Amino acid sequence: MKLMGTSRLHELARGACDGLDGAVPALVAELEAGSWRSMTEIAEFYPSAVIDGIKIRILLNGGYRIDLLADCEAQMVLIEYAGATGGPRATGKTGSKVT
């Protein structure tokens, strides 16, 4: 997948406390290596993610989250938000249901 908005992830990795311990670089590698053809495939790969349409929310240790927009047909992922769990649009659905 082509990954856009990685600067948000790099800022999170620099500013986060010990709670992430390599989670951000691992997530970047997984997203770049991924070649998912549907949101269902993404849900299977990230079973604890919250998926709503093209929006994906991945919760990380230490009270952080990553919000993504994915276009499986174009093989592109946009990092929409990377930061504290209580950040912008913190409310949402729970679970890995694809809607």
Side-chain angles (χ1 to χ4, degrees):
M1 296 283 240
K2 178 169 174 60
L3 194 55
M4 299 171 293
T6 57
S7 62
R8 289 182 176 96
L9 290 174
H10 297 300
E11 289 172 20
L12 174 62
R14 279 193 305 269
C17 298
D18 300 328
L20 296 181
D21 292 341
V24 172
L27 180 63
V28 168
E30 287 176 354
L31 291 171
E32 288 177 335
S35 60
W36 303 285
R37 289 171 269 149
S38 70
M39 297 306 279
T40 301
E41 287 184 6
I42 294 174
E44 290 170 1
F45 194 83
Y46 294 106
S48 63
V50 177
I51 299 177
D52 184 13
I54 65 168
K55 297 178 182 181
I56 304 162
R57 176 167 293 161
I58 299 172
L59 299 176
L60 302 175
N61 292 336
Y64 298 99
R65 75 172 205 263
I66 311 294
D67 291 342
L68 313 167
L69 299 176
D71 183 337
C72 295
E73 188 173 315
Q75 290 291 292
M76 299 171 79
V77 173
L78 171 67
I79 311 305
E80 187 176 44
Y81 174 79
T85 302
R89 295 185 289 196
T91 60
K93 299 177 181 179
T94 59
S96 63
K97 287 190 173 181
V98 177
T99 56

